[in-house]
Amino acid sequence: MPRPASALPRAAFPAIVALALLASAIGLLALSREAHRRVDERTRIQRLRSDLVRVQALGWHGLALGAPDFTIATQARTLRARVEDEAAALPTPPGGPDERERVERLVRELLVAVDGELQDLQASTTLQGTSDLLDAALDVAERHAIARTAAANARLLRGGLVVVGVAAVLTAVFLLVIRRVRRRGDERFRALVEQSGEILLVLDDAGRITDVTAAAVRRTLGWEAAPLLGRRVDQLVEAADAPRVRAALERLLRGATPRPGFEVALRDVHGGVVHLEAVGNNLLDLPAVGGLVLTLRDVSERRAMEDALRHQAFHDGLTGLPNRTLFDDRLAQALARARRGDGQVAVVLVDLDDFKAVNDSLGHAAGDELLIACARRFDALVRATDTAARLGGDEFAVLVEDRGDVGAVAAEVAERLRVALDRPFPIEGRELHVAASVGVAVAEDPTVSPLDVVRNADIAMYEAKGRGGDDLVAFEPRMLDQARERLDLREHLRGALERGELSVHYQPIVGLGDGRPTAVEALLRWTHPELGSVSPARFIPVAEESGMIVGLGAWVLERACRDLAALKAPAPDVRVSVNVSAVQLREPGFPAQVAAILERTGAAAGDVVLELTESVFAGGEQVAVALRSLRALGVALSVDDFGTGYSSLSYLRNLDVDSVKIDRSFVAGLGEQARDAALVRSIVELGHALGLTMVAEGVEDAVQERFLRDAGCDLAQGWRFGRPGPVEQARLWIVTDGAAARG
C-alpha cells in the first residue's frame, strides 16, 4: 500500500542533528573558556616572577651605586601592591583549600619581608632572603597553575570526546526512534486503511493488481485478496463496465484524472451485484507507491435509493403503474418511432363511472383498494409492448403501438378493459360492480404532440360519459370542435349572471284529471348578445363541469322562491319545482343554503319541490345525509328524468321522495310504440303502489294526454299545456287556468 507520511517529518532529522551539534559546540566553548582562564593564571604568576627579577635587579644595582635614596624603594612599593593584588586574584589551586592557604601564607610572609626590606635597604642579605621567599611562593603558584592548565586541557579533551560521543549516541537513538515511529506509522496507516469502508487497489501500468486492502475487499465483496493479485481489474467488473474501466486507466496513464468518479458493477461472492464508485490517481512516479491507485467506494445503497426515488418520480404511488410523466415520455418516444415509419400509435383513456360514489359511501380506503384492483386487471390485460398508466384520480390510460391497424388493436384493448371491469370487485366484504367510460384516439399524424393525442382521447372519453357512461367512443375530428365550443361557452358563461344575460322561465304543470294548474317548473335561460339564445342542453353540462352550477343553481332557487309569491296570488296551492344538480347536492353546505334562501324569501318549504336525477340517489352516504337534511326542512323531493339513469323499477321503493317524473323519451312513443305504452303504464302503476305522485314530461299532443290520463298518471307538463316563459306569462297562464295555452 502507499507509505503514509511519518509521524516525524523527514525535514526534522537535519534540524535535530544540527541542534545536537550546536549543543556540543556550546559545551566545547565553555571548556575552552575555562582552559583560557587557567592560561591567564599561569601568565599572571610568570608576570610576578618577572617583577621579582626586576626588583632584584634594581636592588643590586642601587647597592652597587651606593645611592643614598635607594630609588628601588619606590619601585618595590609599587611592585608590592601589584603582588598583593595578583596574589588575591589567584584562584583555588588543584590541591584544594589547604594548598591555597599555603600559597597565601607564603605571600603574606613575602609581603612582610618586603616591608622590612624597604625600611632597611642597606641589608642586602635580607633582600636576598625576601627574594628567595617570594621565588619559592611563585614556584609553588606556578606549579599549581601548570597543573590546573593541564587539568583544564584534559577536561577540554575529555569534554570534546564526551560531547561527540553523546551527539553520536543521540543521533543513533534518534534514527532508531524515527525507524520505529515510521514502522508504527506504516502499521497504523495500514490498519486504518484496512478498516476503511473503501477498497484501495494499486495497479501497475498494465492494469494488474499489485496490492489491495484485504479487509475492505472481504467486507464489501466477500472475496479474499490473494487471488486478486496479478489479475487485470477490467476482468473483475461486469462486462458492460470493462470498456469504461480501460478508458479510465488510459486517461490515468496520460496524466489525466477521471473525476468525478465513474461507476462500475462487480459481483460479490454470492453472485449479487455491488455498485462501486471508482476514483483514480496516477502515483507511478511516487517511490513509496509506484502504481495507479483506484479508490472504490460501495454506493449500492445510494444507487438503490436513487432507483427508488426514480421509480417514485415516474410511477403512481398507489397502484405502482407508470404515472402521467412516464406515460407522456413513452408516448413521445412512440410518436418519434412512428415518424420514422416504425408502427402507429393510439391512446386508450379509461375513466371509472361514479367512482366518487364509492369514496363517499365506503370511504377513501375502499376507493383506493378499488383503484389498485383495477390497475392490476389493466396491467395484466395489456400486451408487453403496451403501457398501462394511471394519470390521476380514477383515470387510466393505455399506450398502444402496432405496425398494423392500430385503431382496431386499440379498440380491442379497450373492449378487453371494459370486459375486465364487468367482473365484480371484492371490496371490504362486498362485491362492487364498476363501469367505465372509454375514449380511443389514434395518432393519424405522427407529427402531433403527445398532449394532442391524450386530449383527443379525453374528448372521446367525455363523449362516452355524456352518453350515460359505460360506453366506448372513438375520437372524431368534430368532437374537437365541440370541445372547443364548450370551452368558449365556459368563458362566455363566466360573468353572464353579472351582465344580466340569465333569466328564469316557468313551464306549467297541470293535473290530468281536471286540467287545472298545480305547479310550475323553474328553468334557467341564457341569452348571449352574440350567440343569441343558448340551449340549456349546451350550457348546463358546461356549468356542471366547471362548477359554476353551484352559484347558478342557488341564484335560480332564490329567484323562483321570490317569484312564487306572485304566482300564488291567483292560485294559493301552486308550487314551484327547481332542478338541483348532483354537483350542488355534494356541496356540504347545500341544505343550509336552501334553508337560508327560504328564510330570506319567506317561501314555505312545502311549496318548493327539488327535482333530482336518479344518479344523485346513488351518491353515497354524503348525499343521503343531505337528502335527510332537506326532508327535515320540509321541502318536497322529486326524481327527474326517471328511466334514463341507473334506477330500476324496484329501486323506487328505496327512494324517500314525493313524486317521479317519467322521462320524455318514453312519452314520445305513446300512441306509436306499444312497448313504450306498456312501460309507461307499468311505471305509473308501480309509483302509485308506492304512494308516489306520477308526473309525465314532454306531453305535446292530445293523444299522449289522453293515454296518460287513462293510465292514471297524475300530472303532466309539456308544450301541450304551455311553453316556458317569464314570470308574468306564467302568472297569466295560472289566472286563465291554461285555457289560452291549450286553445
Side-chain angles (χ1 to χ4, degrees):
M1 294 308 304
R3 184 177 300 278
S6 174
L8 293 176
R10 293 184 178 181
F13 175 71
I16 293 178
V17 172
L19 289 176
L21 294 177
L22 179 61
S24 301
I26 292 174
L28 291 174
L29 180 61
L31 294 174
S32 176
R33 286 180 178 177
E34 183 180 359
H36 281 295
R37 283 197 301 271
R38 302 309 178 195
V39 171
D40 290 342
E41 292 174 5
R42 185 179 180 185
T43 301
R44 283 196 297 270
I45 293 173
Q46 290 175 348
R47 193 162 54 245
L48 286 174
R49 183 176 291 280
S50 298
D51 290 340
L52 177 61
V53 171
R54 289 176 60 197
V55 169
Q56 289 177 333
L58 288 173
W60 290 115
H61 179 71
L63 291 175
L65 294 177
D69 54 353
F70 197 31
T71 57
I72 190 175
T74 303
Q75 298 292 333
R77 290 188 182 94
T78 301
L79 291 175
R80 178 189 182 284
R82 182 182 299 174
V83 168
E84 186 175 13
D85 292 340
E86 292 288 350
L90 287 175
T92 301
D98 295 337
E99 193 68 23
R100 179 179 180 85
E101 183 179 355
R102 179 170 174 271
V103 173
E104 289 176 350
R105 185 174 65 252
L106 290 174
V107 172
R108 282 195 303 270
E109 292 175 359
L110 170 64
L111 293 178
V112 171
V114 170
D115 289 340
E117 290 298 329
L118 290 175
Q119 295 176 3
D120 189 5
L121 295 175
Q122 300 300 323
S124 58
T125 59
T126 304
L127 180 60
Q128 179 65 43
T130 302
S131 300
D132 294 340
L133 179 62
L134 179 60
D135 186 55
L138 291 177
D139 284 339
V140 173
E142 185 176 13
R143 287 197 304 273
H144 291 167
I146 292 172
R148 290 176 63 86
T149 301
N153 290 334
R155 283 198 301 272
L156 178 62
L157 178 59
R158 289 195 303 271
L161 293 176
V162 169
V163 169
V164 172
V166 170
V169 171
L170 288 176
T171 302
V173 171
F174 179 72
L175 291 175
L176 290 175
V177 170
I178 288 179
R179 187 175 294 109
R180 178 171 295 181
V181 169
R182 179 172 294 169
R183 184 171 61 252
R184 290 182 178 178
D186 288 346
E187 294 173 354
R188 181 171 180 269
F189 180 74
R190 165 71 71 168
L192 290 175
V193 171
E194 289 289 350
Q195 295 304 316
S196 171
E198 298 180 347
I199 299 174
L200 291 183
L201 298 179
V202 180
L203 316 176
D204 60 15
D205 54 4
R208 290 185 295 267
I209 299 174
T210 60
D211 199 358
V212 63
T213 50
V217 170
R218 190 181 305 110
R219 185 168 48 251
T220 304
L221 301 172
W223 296 349
E224 293 299 329
L228 301 180
L229 300 178
R231 296 187 60 183
R232 291 179 56 89
V233 68
D234 58 342
Q235 298 173 348
L236 301 178
V237 302
E238 292 290 283
D241 295 332
R244 187 184 303 116
V245 173
R246 287 192 290 269
L249 295 181
E250 291 175 1
R251 288 195 298 271
L252 283 176
L253 289 172
R254 293 196 303 267
T257 301
R259 295 181 181 273
F262 58 95
E263 282 195 17
V264 295
L266 283 78
R267 295 280 177 176
D268 61 18
V269 69
H270 303 294
V273 177
V274 178
H275 295 278
L276 300 171
E277 184 181 63
V279 177
N281 288 283
N282 188 339
L283 301 181
L284 286 169
D285 297 332
L286 190 63
V289 180
L292 304 175
V293 178
L294 283 184
T295 303
L296 304 178
R297 182 164 59 94
D298 187 357
V299 294
S300 300
E301 185 174 346
R302 187 194 73 187
R303 181 70 174 272
M305 184 177 298
E306 291 175 352
D307 292 342
L309 292 175
R310 189 178 299 109
H311 186 274
Q312 293 176 10
F314 294 104
H315 290 78
D316 177 54
L318 178 64
T319 64
L321 293 178
N323 59 14
R324 181 182 290 273
T325 302
L326 182 55
F327 182 83
D328 290 343
D329 180 71
R330 291 186 179 178
L331 176 56
Q333 296 179 29
L335 290 173
R337 288 190 291 269
R339 284 192 291 272
R340 296 193 298 266
D342 188 12
Q344 296 178 307
V345 180
V347 170
V348 178
L349 209 59
V350 181
D351 188 89
L352 304 183
D353 294 332
D354 288 326
F355 175 75
K356 191 175 187 306
V358 177
N359 275 339
D360 294 341
S361 59
L362 301 180
H364 287 276
D368 290 346
E369 188 177 350
L370 177 60
L371 291 174
I372 294 172
C374 290
R376 289 173 179 169
R377 291 189 186 182
F378 292 163
D379 195 42
L381 285 174
V382 299
R383 303 174 305 172
T385 56
D386 300 334
T387 298
R390 182 189 177 208
L391 303 186
D394 60 346
E395 191 173 67
F396 298 85
V398 178
L399 171 62
V400 180
E401 293 184 78
D402 199 86
R403 296 179 180 276
D405 187 353
V406 72
V409 174
E412 181 183 350
V413 170
E415 188 59 33
R416 287 205 306 269
L417 297 178
R418 292 182 64 231
V419 171
L421 294 177
D422 286 340
R423 302 195 309 273
F425 292 87
I427 304 295
E428 293 191 350
R430 67 177 67 192
E431 290 189 346
L432 293 182
H433 293 267
V434 179
S437 299
V438 182
V440 178
V442 176
E444 303 288 353
D445 181 3
T447 61
V448 298
S449 70
L451 293 178
D452 291 337
V453 182
V454 175
R455 177 204 61 199
N456 293 345
D458 190 63
I459 291 173
M461 182 269 294
Y462 273 105
E463 180 75 15
K465 196 172 287 293
R467 296 178 184 180
D470 194 16
D471 199 0
L472 169 62
V473 174
F475 173 78
E476 298 177 6
R478 63 170 181 81
M479 297 178 184
L480 179 59
D481 297 334
Q482 293 171 352
R484 289 171 176 166
E485 180 185 357
R486 286 197 300 272
L487 180 61
D488 292 339
L489 281 177
R490 178 183 302 178
E491 295 305 315
H492 289 306
L493 185 58
R494 201 177 303 277
L497 182 61
E498 290 76 8
R499 295 191 297 268
E501 299 171 4
L502 301 178
S503 61
V504 177
H505 286 196
Y506 300 92
Q507 186 173 31
I509 300 175
V510 303
L512 287 175
D514 56 11
R516 298 179 63 84
T518 61
V520 292
E521 180 180 2
L523 301 172
L524 181 61
R525 293 294 183 260
W526 179 22
T527 303
H528 189 270
E530 298 177 3
L531 302 177
S533 179
V534 183
S535 169
R538 292 176 58 195
F539 73 82
I540 292 297
V542 172
E544 290 181 328
E545 292 173 6
S546 63
M548 288 187 285
I549 194 63
V550 174
L552 295 179
W555 179 80
V556 171
L557 178 60
E558 184 159 354
R559 181 74 267 166
C561 289
R562 293 188 183 280
D563 290 342
L564 183 59
L567 296 174
K568 289 178 70 67
D573 295 334
V574 169
R575 299 194 299 177
V576 63
S577 295
V578 180
N579 290 284
V580 174
S581 168
V583 179
Q584 291 175 265
L585 199 60
R586 293 191 185 104
E587 288 292 311
F590 179 69
Q593 184 183 59
V594 173
I597 291 174
L598 293 175
E599 183 177 358
R600 284 197 301 269
T601 60
D607 292 335
V608 177
V609 180
L610 300 182
E611 296 188 4
L612 312 168
T613 59
E614 296 174 70
S615 59
V616 168
F617 294 93
E621 183 60 26
Q622 180 181 355
V623 172
V625 171
L627 291 175
R628 288 194 294 269
S629 299
L630 293 174
R631 294 295 286 175
L633 291 176
V635 298
L637 301 179
S638 177
V639 180
D640 195 16
D641 302 330
F642 183 81
T644 60
Y646 302 94
S647 298
S648 64
L649 295 177
S650 61
Y651 187 69
L652 287 175
R653 64 182 179 181
N654 299 320
L655 302 181
D656 185 15
V657 297
D658 300 286
S659 59
V660 173
K661 276 192 169 183
I662 304 173
D663 187 69
R664 65 180 64 248
S665 61
F666 298 112
V667 175
L670 295 179
E672 299 177 0
Q673 299 290 336
R675 184 176 180 180
D676 288 343
L679 185 56
V680 169
R681 186 175 283 107
S682 298
I683 294 174
V684 171
E685 291 176 356
L686 178 60
H688 285 164
L690 297 174
L692 302 175
T693 299
M694 305 304 296
V695 184
E697 294 184 293
V699 181
E700 297 182 357
D701 55 42
V703 174
Q704 295 170 349
E705 179 184 2
R706 185 166 51 252
F707 178 88
L708 291 170
R709 185 184 302 111
D710 294 341
C713 188
D714 301 300
L715 304 176
Q717 74 178 94
W719 286 5
R720 168 66 178 166
F721 310 104
R723 294 173 180 265
V727 62
E728 296 81 7
Q729 181 179 328
R731 186 175 184 278
L732 177 61
W733 181 88
I734 292 173
V735 170
T736 61
D737 289 341
R742 287 194 297 273

